[in-house]
Amino acid sequence: MSIPTKYPMKQYLGGIVEALKSAPGNGANPNDVETIRFYAELGNDAPDSQWPNVLVAIAHVTKAVSYNPQTKQAFAAANGFEYVKESQHAIMTALTEDAEKLVAKRG
């Protein structure tokens, strides 16, 4: 899948992980953080089938970090929400393109 991004997915997903580190007490599930970190290492080479799982993990950590105003502010200060927005947009765009190709192929 071709992820349409200005920068590599590695940067966006890695940025989310780093922003989480800068927001102590974020309450994010370690499994979700590990999922994001793992696919950050793979970057654009991650299997297409795993992008929906990455989207879910991003949603979980974003929700967790938003509960506490101080944590949310620290996450935002580290551009965490910008990384979330950019990565979600890129993944959704790529998944939509793949779905449209599949529908066209199947008629």
Side-chain angles (χ1 to χ4, degrees), residues 24-84:
N26 58 50
N29 182 326
N31 291 333
D32 291 326
V33 176
E34 179 59 22
T35 297
I36 296 169
R37 187 205 59 75
F38 178 76
Y39 289 104
E41 287 183 15
L42 293 177
N44 291 24
D45 296 328
D48 297 354
S49 62
Q50 294 306 307
W51 288 121
N53 296 333
V54 175
L55 284 173
V56 170
I58 291 170
H60 287 168
V61 299
T62 304
K63 182 177 178 182
V65 83
S66 296
Y67 282 124
N68 182 327
Q70 291 174 327
T71 306
K72 184 176 182 178
Q73 185 177 6
F75 188 74
N79 290 328
F81 291 111
E82 187 63 29
Y83 288 124
V84 165

